[in-house]
Amino acid sequence: MPERVVIIGSGPAGWAAAIYAARANLDPLVIEGMFGMSGGMVPLGQLYFTTEVENYPGFPFGVLSQFLDTALDDKEKQIAPPITDEKHAVTGPELMHLMRQQAKNFGTRVISDEVVEVDFDSKPLRVKPSDGDWIEAHSVIIATGARANYLGLESEEKFKNGGVSACAVCDGALPRFRNKPLVVIGGGDSAMEEATYLTKYAEKVYLVHRRDEFRASPIMAERVLNNPKIEPVWSHNVVEVLGSAEQGVTGVTVVGIKDGVTKELPASGMFLAIGHTPNTAFLGGKLDMNEAGYIRWTKPYRTNTSVDGVFAAGDVADDYYRQAITSAGTGCMAALDAERYLGDQGIH
Ligand code: FAD
C-alpha cells in the first residue's frame, strides 16, 4: 500500500508538517536524513548547528529542564543534549528534539536515511532512500532545507558557535556581538542587509568584499555606503579567523587581492553572506526550480510545486526569510495542502 504522505527532511518544516499530518490521521512517514549524509548535513536541520534560539515563539529565557525532562521519551533523552537547570533560551538541538518528539507522540514514523532519488513521473509517486527499496506515496512533502555557504577555512569551522555565523537576524542580538566591531563577508543584497542590520548592535561593521564594487542593487549598496558605521573593505579575501577558545572570535586576517598585502581587522564576530545552497540535488531536476535551485511554489499562498501531489516547505522553497518560524509555518501549510489534495483524490 502506498504511503499517504511521505515527508523528506527533519528541520522545523518537516516536523511541523508531520505534526499536522499525523493529527489529520494521515499516518505520515518522515525520512529524516542521517549523520554522514552528503553535503555535511545532519538530521534535525540547521538548528542542530546552533546554541541559543532566542526568537522562536514560546521559548523565553528560563529554566527549561523540567519541561524537557518530561517532554522527551527515554530514548530521545539518550541522544538529546544534557538537560541542565541553567536559565537559558531553548537551544537549537533541544528545540529540534522536542519537535521530533511531538511529531512521534502523534504517531509519526521515522526512517533515519537520506533520500537519494525520486520518481515523480509515476503515480503513486516514488522516493528512494539510500539504504532501502523505493517507497510509494500518494503525496510527498519536501522539507530538505538549505545550507549556508562558508569560506571553507579550518579556523572558520573552529569558531562556528564562537562568533562565526551565517545569520545576522538569528545571532546579531547576542551579547557577544553588542557594541563590538564585526565583519560581514559578501557583496550582494543579503550582505547589504546583514551589514545594515548588524549596525543596530555593533560598534562598527567591516564589509569585506572580493571585488571593488558591490553586486547588490544600487539602492541597497547606497544605503550601506551612506551608513557611517559600515566600512567597506574592497578587493580583500578573509584568509583566517582569529580568536581563542575562551574569547571566541577576536578578529580576521584579510589579504588584498590587488596588492597581496595582509592585515588584521579586530572583530568579535564574522558573518557570512555569500549565499545558501538549497538541498535539491537529489530531485534530479524533476521539479521546477529557480536559477539558484530553490523549489518554486506554483500557486500563490500555497505550497504546491510543479508536480501534482508534491509540496515544498521551509528553506528549500524560500530564499528570502530563512527562519525556523517561517519554515514551521510553511510546513503546516504543506500538510494542510497535502491533506486537501488527498481528499480531492478520494484518499483519506
Ligand atoms: P533545515 O533546518 O535545513 O532541515 C532540513 C533537513 O533535511 C536537514 O536535517 C537535512 O539533513 C535533511 N535533508 C536534506 N536532504 C535530505 C535528503 N535527501 N533526505 C533526507 N533528509 C534530507 N532561524 C531562526 O529562526 N532562529 C535562529 O536563531 C536561527 N539560528 C540559526 C543558526 C544557524 C547556525 C543556522 C545555520 C541557521 C539558523 N536559523 C535560525 C535558520 C533556521 O535554522 C532555518 O531557517 C531552518 O532550520 C530551516 O528549516 P527547514 O525545516 O526548512 O530545513
Side-chain angles (χ1 to χ4, degrees), residues 248-269:
V249 171
T250 56
V252 301
T253 306
V254 292
V255 176
I257 291 168
K258 292 183 178 164
D259 55 14
V261 174
T262 298
K263 62 179 178 184
E264 283 180 15
L265 303 174
S268 71

Side-chain angles (χ1 to χ4, degrees), residues 9-13 42 45-47 55 115 144-145 170 314-315 322-324 327:
S10 52
V42 298
Q46 295 168 64
L47 286 184
N55 55 9
V115 172
T144 46
C170 314
D315 284 11
R322 289 196 295 250
Q323 294 296 296
S327 296

Side-chain angles (χ1 to χ4, degrees), residues 12 16 28 36 41 79-80 93 109 132 145 148 185 208 232 243 272 299 306 324 336 338 347:
M41 294 176 290
I79 46 172
R109 291 159 301 134
I185 303 174
V208 180
L272 285 298
K299 288 188 185 176
S306 54
L336 295 176
I347 300 162

Side-chain angles (χ1 to χ4, degrees), residues 155-170:
S155 52
E156 171 191 60
E157 193 60 40
K158 193 163 116 196
F159 291 112
K160 281 183 183 167
N161 286 327
V164 169
S165 168
C167 182
V169 177
C170 314

